[in-house]
Amino acid sequence: MRKIVLSALAALTLTAGAAQAAGNAPKPEAQDWTFNGLFGNYDEAQLKRGFQIYREVCGGCHSLRLVAYRNLEAIGFTKDEIKEIAAEYELPAGPNEDGEILEDGELRMRSAKPFDKFVPPFANEMAAKAGNGGALPPDLSLMNKSRVSGPDYVYALLTGYLEEAPEGVEIPDGMYYNKYFPGHQISMAPPLDAETVEYEDGTEPTLENHAKDIVAFMNWAAAPELEERKSLGIKVMLFLILLTAMFYALKKRIWADVH
Amino acid sequence: MSDVTWKNPVIKWVDSRLPVFSMLHHSTAGYPTPKNLNYWWNFGSLALTVLVIMILTGIFLVMNYVPHTSMAFDSVERIMRDVNYGWLIRYLHMNGASMFFIVVYIHMFRALYYGSYRAPREILWFVGLAIYLAMMATGFLGYVLPWGQMSFWGATVITNLFSAIPLIGDPIVTWLWGGYSVDNPTLNRFFSLHYLLPFVIAALVGVHLWALHVVKSSNPLGVEMKTESDSIPFHPYYTIKDLYGVGLFMIFFLAFVFWAPDFLGHPDNYIEANPMVTPPHIVPEWYYLPFYAILRAFTADAFIYQPFSLLFITPKLAGVIAMFGAIIILFFLPWLDRSKVRSAKFRPLYQGFFWIFVIDCFVLGYVGAKPAEGVLVVVGQWATLYYFAHILVFIPLLGMFEKTKPVPDSIASAVTKAAKTEEA
Amino acid sequence: MAETAANPAAESVGEDGETRRDFLLLATSAVGVVGTGLAVWPFVDSMNPSADVLALASTEVDLSAIEEGQSITVTWRGKPVFVRYRTEAEIAEAKKDDGAALIEVQKDADRVQKEQWLVMVGVCTHLGCIPLGQKATDPKGEYGGWFCPCHGSHYDTSGRIRKGPAPKNLEVPPYTFIDDATIKIG
């Protein structure tokens, strides 16, 4: 009990220390996103490119556990294409009719179906840490919503690596210097560069484009309802403005004899 | 009893057995309301509107929410992604909570400015404060349910406060937790209580309206209604004005829901609760920030703490006492404020103090949002002292010594006078 | 109560004034009612099957693993579905009884798309128990099909109720052959 109280208080005081580190990370630059603004939307082609990057690069270490393969229909894939994409991944099949979970000494697996959530790259947290030098690559489903200025921050981070740490700053082996990551030391090696992915639609492969596309894809993963939300918002607001104006006119009439 | 005779036979039949229609008439078309109410008087009906929205959206969220630590976070994400219009219901509920507090704070500040808590409206004020306390509890419990990082750590920090109570503090905290830390038993009971309290609030609102209907509304002049020419019937004048107010409010509210639904929240709550990792800054939702600042202001070396140390009260306990005390002292306002004049409209000195008090509340809120370091520590201590000084010292003194402006005889005379001076 | 102030809306300022006021009241009320209806819809719709439930609304079944005379049980929309590769004898038996005194009259040909494949919801039409008969060792009742142990309903090789309290034949769900070896139920 006392331990918990002390650790809670310690946490509060430690915030001072952590705040210093976080305070040193500069504010990420505001980018132009198609999904910003009153009429924000997603560019389907961009989301497809972003998905390609996730598939070929990020998905090797980062899970996307809140997104299901069937959700990819919103990006423009057909039901058959989705079946094929899902079938590339395997997950534990559970016990067979005789109650066995193993087959030939290995866990029984089945290929993923459209209704499955994205299969994580590692079976569990411990395996993920073991495969990444002790650091846990976070799930990316809500990354854009779980950071202040999410999309801008993630973009800044992906493009904010420096080959050499600045004067006087020591970066231990296995870590990398990033301008925008709190504390500036990040375990993830720069995941993107101009050659990361070959785009199928002819978009120019640059670090900036790759970063833009993956961030847009991650925004869709975090907020798939965005387009419906904003377009419904326009309709609702116009309706409300009309109704409120009518209320106002009625109010003025009814109050005419009092004023 | 009823001052209306009903012509419709069906209505007559029902009403003679249960006077619902007479009651409805008595509180609307037959209810006298001051004719000079301004738009600051809309916020009561706005609060009721938000309460209804919160209960409605809450009930539908519960249809899909799972109150178990292993599933809570994911069940909320399922609502956001898979349930038809789930994102809308969730964002309405999340932003509605903020709107509820915005509306109620304005409603309370209105009372402070116009002296609406003064006799004969003391009980109305008390019931209002009870509603406010119930809202604070409901909001705290509800924020834990999504089981994000802030949910978990906010719950940990606030429940830990009770350990400050001497002798019985620790057993109380264990009892609250149902275990040795915030965990599944805590989440489950918070869910039960979060579902219960809004209905307690609804009952209190019923009492609040009953108390109001006995003493009738105050008004910007602070002069009671005396004759018929002072009043107009609530329906249709204030029903339509309230509807218009609701329209304006909904535009404000829905702008957040549709375009900035996470603006008033904290990004850390989109990370699932992890008892092994403390977020860099634990912050409550904005509507608790001033109280959070007051709580944190009492450190061992703070000047405001020294009187408490003489009484052998720990800094933590002092903070807790001050935090709750900040609301408790509001109960005494009707007796602290002894001014002959009710409304700030005729109290120019009090007006100035009122606005400084409002600024002080914002300062406290700002301090509560930031880490407790640097110059903000001292600012927080002085802002805390000022809060208590305003209520406990300045208001009584102003009441005794302020030179007030002359108060009109009646609402009607003031309204006609205003009309006459306009024509001139 | 001030009577003049009580109902100013109806007070006529002049025919024209009153008509305009009434129209505004009517129009505003209409818009308000429409708005309320539109606002209610998301709540009602939220109770309809969600996207993850709809994703499981259809199940594909691979028939290639099933041998002649063998049955498998799959789950579809939370219910068991019997898929049986019928033998020639079973098919003949089913067709023979087309003219018999059936509790619910149905020809075998109307219950299958390809006669060797019988697909039925494995829920007894009496009170919902799961009939036995899927395994070779199960009791199959007096008509060689399925037998419900709860209240003694007997189903034949076409899944039709022949004896016992069940009122209807075992339900045939909507299904299609995607190819010769795969069906999609639902």
Side-chain angles (χ1 to χ4, degrees):
Chain A
M1 176 56 225
R2 225 160 143 250
K3 255 201 277 189
I4 295 159
V5 170
L6 285 172
S7 56
L9 283 171
L12 276 167
T13 31
L14 275 173
T15 59
Q20 286 297 83
N24 284 343
K27 235 181 114 167
E29 210 181 287
Q31 303 293 327
D32 276 320
W33 301 106
T34 60
F35 45 84
N36 275 353
L38 221 59
F39 304 95
N41 57 34
Y42 290 122
D43 176 354
E44 209 177 84
Q46 182 176 48
L47 293 186
K48 273 200 159 136
R49 295 195 299 271
F51 174 59
Q52 184 188 358
I53 297 177
Y54 173 76
R55 234 170 144 184
E56 295 180 19
V57 184
C58 325
C61 298
H62 291 278
S63 55
L64 201 69
R65 63 184 194 83
L66 294 175
V67 182
Y69 294 106
R70 58 178 166 85
N71 293 131
L72 291 171
E73 224 177 309
I75 294 193
F77 289 103
T78 65
K79 285 204 160 78
D80 284 329
E81 284 171 334
I82 290 174
K83 260 202 237 171
E84 273 176 35
I85 294 170
E88 290 172 25
Y89 301 92
E90 274 196 334
L91 58 152
N96 61 13
E97 263 186 19
D98 300 318
E100 286 153 14
I101 50 172
L102 299 177
E103 196 176 317
D104 298 329
E106 297 259 325
L107 209 56
R108 274 169 41 88
M109 304 293 267
R110 65 167 179 86
S111 49
K113 296 264 166 35
F115 59 74
D116 284 315
K117 296 274 165 62
F118 272 55
V119 177
F122 298 101
N124 50 59
E125 219 178 85
M126 284 69 82
K129 280 187 179 166
N132 288 281
L136 178 65
D139 181 272
L140 294 180
S141 313
L142 288 168
M143 183 54 67
N144 279 24
K145 285 213 278 191
S146 62
R147 301 291 186 273
V148 176
S149 310
D152 296 331
Y153 165 75
V154 179
Y155 177 84
L157 189 144
L158 290 172
T159 54
Y161 282 90
L162 292 181
E163 280 236 23
E164 299 261 331
E167 281 272 338
V169 180
E170 277 279 328
I171 301 289
D173 275 339
M175 305 285 271
Y176 304 84
Y177 186 87
N178 189 290
K179 285 192 290 199
Y180 294 92
F181 187 71
H184 298 298
Q185 283 180 28
I186 189 171
S187 321
M188 175 172 74
L192 304 174
D193 56 38
E195 281 92 45
T196 307
V197 151
E198 231 183 81
Y199 282 138
E200 289 150 35
D201 65 356
T203 307
E204 208 195 322
T206 61
L207 171 62
E208 287 72 27
N209 281 347
H210 288 144
K212 277 270 169 93
D213 293 344
I214 187 62
V215 171
F217 173 76
M218 282 166 62
N219 216 75
W220 170 80
E225 89 292 343
L226 185 141
E227 288 185 322
E228 194 194 346
R229 169 163 51 88
K230 294 195 175 187
S231 76
L232 182 62
I234 303 280
K235 299 191 194 100
V236 169
M237 273 310 169
L238 288 174
F239 180 89
L240 255 185
I241 289 171
L242 168 71
L243 183 61
T244 305
M246 295 176 89
F247 279 143
Y248 182 64
L250 204 52
K251 185 254 175 191
K252 276 265 173 268
R253 282 233 189 279
I254 290 175
W255 279 77
D257 52 3
V258 174
H259 289 317
Chain B
M1 263 296 259
S2 63
D3 24 44
V4 194
T5 37
W6 301 103
K7 288 200 229 91
N8 182 304
V10 177
I11 295 182
K12 253 220 289 243
W13 186 91
V14 174
D15 204 66
S16 59
R17 287 155 178 73
L18 187 70
V20 277
F21 294 100
S22 289
M23 274 180 64
L24 256 172
H25 181 270
H26 185 71
S27 40
T28 55
Y31 178 72
T33 321
K35 56 163 62 160
N36 63 331
L37 297 185
N38 61 29
Y39 278 96
W40 297 112
W41 262 258
N42 274 52
F43 286 84
S45 65
L46 288 184
L48 179 61
T49 304
V50 178
L51 177 64
V52 169
I53 291 175
M54 292 303 281
I55 290 180
L56 195 67
T57 52
I59 288 173
F60 278 85
L61 284 173
V62 172
M63 290 185 186
N64 289 287
Y65 171 74
V66 180
H68 192 283
T69 48
S70 64
M71 292 186 69
F73 187 84
D74 284 359
S75 73
V76 173
E77 280 300 310
R78 180 179 161 268
I79 290 170
M80 295 292 289
R81 293 159 190 272
D82 287 324
V83 174
N84 300 333
Y85 291 104
W87 57 267
L88 179 61
I89 298 175
R90 197 271 174 111
Y91 278 145
L92 280 170
H93 198 77
M94 197 163 121
N95 287 282
S98 281
M99 292 298 133
F100 205 179
F101 281 98
I102 291 176
V103 161
V104 163
Y105 279 143
I106 294 176
H107 187 66
M108 290 166 77
F109 275 114
R110 180 280 308 258
L112 253 42
Y113 188 85
Y114 290 106
S116 311
Y117 51 79
R118 299 274 302 266
R121 296 182 179 86
E122 301 95 319
I123 293 200
L124 180 62
W125 174 246
F126 294 162
V127 179
L129 284 175
I131 293 174
Y132 176 56
L133 284 166
M135 277 173 65
M136 304 274 268
T138 308
F140 165 69
L141 296 167
Y143 194 67
V144 178
L145 302 182
W147 209 240
Q149 275 287 64
M150 278 310 171
S151 306
F152 178 85
W153 289 100
T156 301
V157 168
I158 298 303
T159 46
N160 263 313
L161 290 178
F162 289 89
S163 65
I165 302 171
L167 296 172
I168 53 171
D170 284 335
I172 284 185
V173 177
T174 308
W175 176 75
L176 281 175
W177 284 340
Y180 303 105
S181 67
V182 170
D183 204 338
N184 200 52
T186 327
L187 176 62
N188 241 293
R189 63 189 54 178
F190 278 15
F191 176 59
S192 167
L193 295 172
H194 182 71
Y195 203 113
L196 169 71
L197 278 180
F199 296 99
V200 170
I201 291 177
L204 286 172
V205 167
V207 177
H208 194 62
L209 289 173
W210 177 24
L212 172 67
H213 278 223
V214 172
V215 296
K216 311 282 188 303
S217 290
S218 182
N219 66 84
L221 297 174
V223 175
E224 294 297 286
M225 291 186 286
K226 297 188 187 95
T227 64
E228 268 180 27
S229 54
D230 289 335
S231 75
I232 43 178
F234 187 84
H235 176 71
Y237 292 96
Y238 288 107
T239 40
I240 190 59
K241 193 175 179 189
D242 280 348
L243 275 173
Y244 171 56
V246 168
L248 289 173
F249 165 74
M250 291 303 289
I251 291 173
F252 177 72
F253 174 31
L254 295 180
F256 281 95
V257 169
F258 287 108
W259 287 286
D262 294 308
F263 179 78
L264 295 164
H266 201 289
D268 272 355
N269 229 30
Y270 277 107
I271 302 172
E272 194 169 356
N274 186 344
M276 297 295 125
V277 174
T278 308
H281 309 300
I282 301 175
V283 213
E285 286 290 88
W286 68 266
Y287 31 87
Y288 299 117
L289 290 175
F291 301 100
Y292 198 52
I294 293 175
L295 174 74
R296 289 194 305 187
F298 289 82
T299 52
D301 54 353
F303 71 90
I304 45 174
Y305 167 64
Q306 303 318 313
F308 287 90
S309 76
L310 296 173
L311 297 165
F312 302 106
I313 295 173
T314 62
K316 186 165 159 188
L317 183 58
V320 172
I321 292 174
M323 189 179 74
F324 287 114
I327 304 178
I328 302 299
I329 54 173
L330 295 175
F331 278 89
F332 297 97
L333 262 180
W335 291 275
L336 290 166
D337 180 1
R338 297 297 204 165
S339 174
K340 284 190 293 310
V341 171
R342 212 184 250 127
S343 164
K345 205 163 153 67
F346 305 104
R347 305 179 59 188
L349 205 53
Y350 175 70
Q351 269 186 37
F353 274 86
F354 171 84
W355 288 112
I356 297 175
F357 178 69
V358 171
I359 293 172
D360 181 61
C361 291
F362 276 95
V363 169
L364 280 171
Y366 180 80
V367 169
K370 295 284 170 194
E373 52 191 35
V375 67
L376 289 180
V377 174
V378 178
V379 171
Q381 291 166 7
W382 280 102
T384 300
L385 183 64
Y386 190 85
Y387 178 97
F388 286 94
H390 175 87
I391 310 261
L392 296 171
V393 178
F394 302 148
I395 285 188
L397 287 178
L398 282 166
M400 284 190 265
F401 298 115
E402 181 182 20
K403 183 136 193 337
T404 57
K405 300 221 302 242
V407 172
D409 287 323
S410 71
I411 298 173
S413 67
V415 168
T416 16
K417 188 151 159 263
K420 284 209 186 99
T421 41
E422 249 183 61
E423 280 171 46
Chain C
M1 299 294 127
E3 270 166 285
T4 35
N7 215 359
E11 186 92 337
S12 83
V13 175
E15 271 306 310
D16 206 29
E18 181 167 319
T19 322
R20 264 188 288 142
R21 200 174 289 146
D22 280 350
F23 171 73
L24 185 56
L25 181 61
L26 193 65
T28 308
S29 307
V31 174
V33 164
V34 167
T36 309
L38 292 172
V40 164
W41 172 244
F43 291 92
V44 171
D45 195 28
S46 77
M47 291 174 67
N48 275 327
S50 54
D52 55 336
V53 168
L54 291 173
L56 294 170
S58 54
T59 310
E60 279 179 26
V61 184
D62 176 20
L63 303 175
S64 57
I66 310 175
E67 287 170 14
E68 194 176 348
Q70 210 193 6
S71 293
I72 62 162
T73 308
V74 296
T75 311
W76 172 70
R77 294 189 182 175
K79 293 173 279 213
V81 171
F82 298 159
V83 180
R84 184 168 183 79
Y85 188 166
R86 299 196 292 181
T87 61
E88 290 290 337
E90 286 165 4
I91 298 170
E93 188 71 34
K95 283 200 190 141
K96 198 184 71 179
D97 281 349
D98 273 349
L102 296 170
I103 296 173
E104 186 194 356
V105 177
Q106 218 180 1
K107 288 216 199 30
D108 181 63
D110 292 333
R111 291 178 54 77
V112 291
Q113 291 177 26
K114 295 192 186 179
E115 56 180 32
Q116 71 271 40
W117 291 110
L118 182 61
V119 180
M120 317 180 290
V121 178
V123 173
C124 184
T125 57
H126 178 228
L127 289 172
C129 293
I130 301 176
L132 303 168
Q134 287 293 86
K135 291 228 218 12
T137 48
D138 276 349
K140 301 209 181 221
E142 289 168 24
Y143 294 83
W146 287 263
F147 172 72
C148 186
C150 289
H151 308 100
S153 293
H154 299 251
Y155 296 88
D156 65 16
T157 54
S158 184
R160 292 175 295 209
I161 179 65
R162 302 299 296 272
K163 181 175 165 184
K168 285 177 161 332
N169 303 333
L170 291 177
E171 185 194 336
V172 176
Y175 67 94
T176 43
F177 275 88
I178 295 181
D179 55 53
D180 281 339
T182 327
I183 54 168
K184 181 167 118 163
I185 311 177

